[in-house]
Amino acid sequence: MRLSFNQFSGEIPSSISNLTKLQMLRIRGNYLVGEIPRELGHLGGMTLLDLQNNRLIGSIPPSIFNITTMQKLALTNNSLTGTLPITICDHLPNLEGLYLSGNNLDGVIPPTLEKCRKLQFMLLSVNQFIGTLPRELANLTALTVLDLRDLHLKGSMIFPYKESEIFFPLSLSLSLSRKSVLIYFPHMTGEIPAELGNLRKLKALSLYNNVFTGPVPDSIFNMSELQIIGLGENRFSGTLTSDLGRRLPNLEKFSCSGNRLSGFISSSISNSSRLTGLDISWNSFTDPIPESLGNLEYLEILHLGSNNFFSDSALSFLTSLTNCRKLRVVKFVLGSK
């Protein structure tokens, strides 16, 4: 049953549980209020329950976690409260997607989530969870998306990656299977371990707005399938690899703004021929701006401001940018040599 994106209001009628053959219920994007009826747990053949983007309140009925056929439970962007029961995965062997972001859930994240071994998507961001992320979640090797933004979890975690360990001091570390496509990190400190580069299938890496220090590990640039890299608003120092473009041929968006990076931007950047957005502002890069930027035919956004770049009197790099026919935003401030 698909009823999403309409103007439905009021409460979800408990009588829906009379539809005993119901396998899928989508009512996302409406104006539903009240609590989730506990009677929904009687729908023993349900594989998908999607109540996202409504105005639901109260706790998640424990009966929902007894639907053994459930594959996707999506409750994001409501006003749900309460805790996740320690038995959350005792009866959900087939769960592949758990979407709980944007609520007011509290308490600790249950370590028993490791029992949902088929989980590929786990979104817990923007809630009131406390404590640390259980190291047992490292056993969820099927995970491809793990969203932990704005949780302010504390403590130290070590998650193994194969025979090695990835460790972020006083924060969280994780490993995902080689099918990983996306990682969001919460408020984290310390240096990025080189082992992160082992996630060779990663498509996007977002490390925005943390307190990472030290250099950007060279191993990051061996993840040749990366399309998006977000390193902005940290305290990275040192230089970027001189062959960034050659090692990241699929790169579409790259940002390292708001750090303490220095050195130069290599002309090899043009080898990332799919690049649409480049933001290296608010660092200490020097040397001329490479004219090879003009070879990026898909480039739309270019932010170079607040660095120490200089140029020849003819501003030849500007002339090269005239080849970028899709360029619509350019911001730069030139320093003096």
Side-chain angles (χ1 to χ4, degrees):
M1 183 186 300
R2 299 184 179 184
L3 304 171
S4 299
F5 303 110
N6 282 287
Q7 303 294 318
F8 295 121
S9 59
E11 299 185 1
I12 301 174
S14 59
S15 57
I16 287 182
S17 62
N18 294 329
L19 301 173
T20 55
K21 301 295 184 181
L22 197 65
Q23 298 181 357
M24 178 188 300
L25 179 60
R26 291 182 183 267
I27 323 179
R28 67 185 304 181
N30 284 284
Y31 299 94
L32 299 175
V33 298
E35 299 186 1
I36 300 173
R38 65 179 184 276
E39 288 83 0
L40 291 183
H42 299 160
L43 297 172
M46 180 94 69
T47 60
L48 184 152
L49 177 61
D50 187 351
L51 305 177
Q52 299 178 89
N53 297 57
N54 281 287
R55 300 173 181 176
L56 300 171
I57 62 172
S59 59
I60 305 172
S63 59
I64 299 295
F65 302 120
N66 291 327
I67 305 177
T68 58
T69 55
M70 186 74 73
Q71 297 177 11
K72 178 179 178 181
L73 178 60
L75 305 174
T76 62
N77 296 330
N78 281 285
S79 297
L80 300 173
T81 55
T83 62
L84 295 180
I86 195 170
T87 57
I88 182 172
C89 284
D90 284 357
H91 305 289
L92 297 177
N94 299 303
L95 192 65
E96 298 176 359
L98 180 63
Y99 303 82
L100 301 177
S101 296
N103 283 287
N104 294 306
L105 299 171
D106 56 22
V108 299
I109 297 175
T112 50
L113 278 167
E114 69 163 331
K115 296 180 180 179
C116 291
R117 292 300 178 90
K118 293 184 179 181
L119 263 180
Q120 300 177 32
F121 304 89
M122 185 162 66
L123 282 67
L124 305 177
S125 62
V126 196
N127 277 288
Q128 305 298 320
F129 294 119
I130 59 174
T132 61
L133 193 73
R135 66 179 302 147
E136 288 86 353
L137 299 191
N139 296 323
L140 295 174
T141 55
L143 272 178
T144 59
V145 175
L146 175 62
D147 188 348
L148 303 170
R149 290 171 295 169
D150 296 320
L151 293 183
H152 302 279
L153 298 174
K154 300 178 181 179
S156 301
M157 290 302 306
I158 299 177
F159 277 11
Y161 182 82
K162 294 185 178 178
E163 292 78 27
S164 62
E165 290 182 340
I166 300 176
F167 178 54
F168 291 104
L170 300 178
S171 193
L172 157 76
S173 75
L174 73 141
S175 68
L176 301 178
S177 71
R178 286 181 289 178
K179 297 180 180 179
S180 305
V181 296
L182 177 63
I183 302 179
Y184 287 114
F185 287 96
H187 305 272
M188 299 175 65
T189 61
E191 296 188 5
I192 301 177
E195 289 85 353
L196 189 62
N198 292 336
L199 302 177
R200 297 298 179 86
K201 297 297 182 180
L202 210 64
K203 304 291 186 183
L205 177 63
S206 176
L207 304 177
Y208 276 108
N209 197 25
N210 287 289
V211 195
F212 285 121
T213 57
V216 179
D218 186 73
S219 61
I220 295 294
F221 304 104
N222 292 330
M223 302 158 73
S224 59
E225 295 195 24
L226 275 175
Q227 299 173 9
I228 299 173
I229 300 180
L231 306 176
E233 307 303 325
N234 282 282
R235 297 177 185 175
F236 292 119
S237 57
T239 61
L240 296 178
T241 179
S242 61
D243 56 354
L244 184 153
R246 282 187 286 271
R247 295 164 69 179
L248 297 174
N250 298 304
L251 194 61
E252 297 178 6
K253 296 180 180 179
F254 179 77
S255 173
C256 62
S257 63
N259 282 286
R260 301 169 181 176
L261 296 168
S262 57
F264 67 98
I265 300 300
S266 170
S267 60
S268 76
I269 191 67
S270 62
N271 290 92
S272 295
S273 58
R274 302 178 185 179
L275 203 62
T276 63
L278 177 63
D279 185 355
I280 59 174
S281 60
W282 295 97
N283 281 286
S284 298
F285 292 115
T286 58
D287 286 356
I289 297 172
E291 295 182 25
S292 63
L293 290 176
N295 297 330
L296 296 171
E297 60 178 306
Y298 299 108
L299 191 63
E300 299 179 11
I301 299 174
L302 178 63
H303 288 190
L304 305 176
S306 299
N307 281 286
N308 296 314
F309 290 121
F310 59 89
S311 179
D312 55 60
S313 58
L315 294 175
S316 54
F317 82 93
L318 275 180
T319 302
S320 70
L321 291 179
T322 60
N323 297 321
C324 301
R325 302 296 184 182
K326 296 187 177 183
L327 195 60
R328 52 188 175 84
V329 177
V330 179
K331 295 182 179 181
F332 64 89
V333 176
L334 295 178
S336 57
K337 187 175 180 179

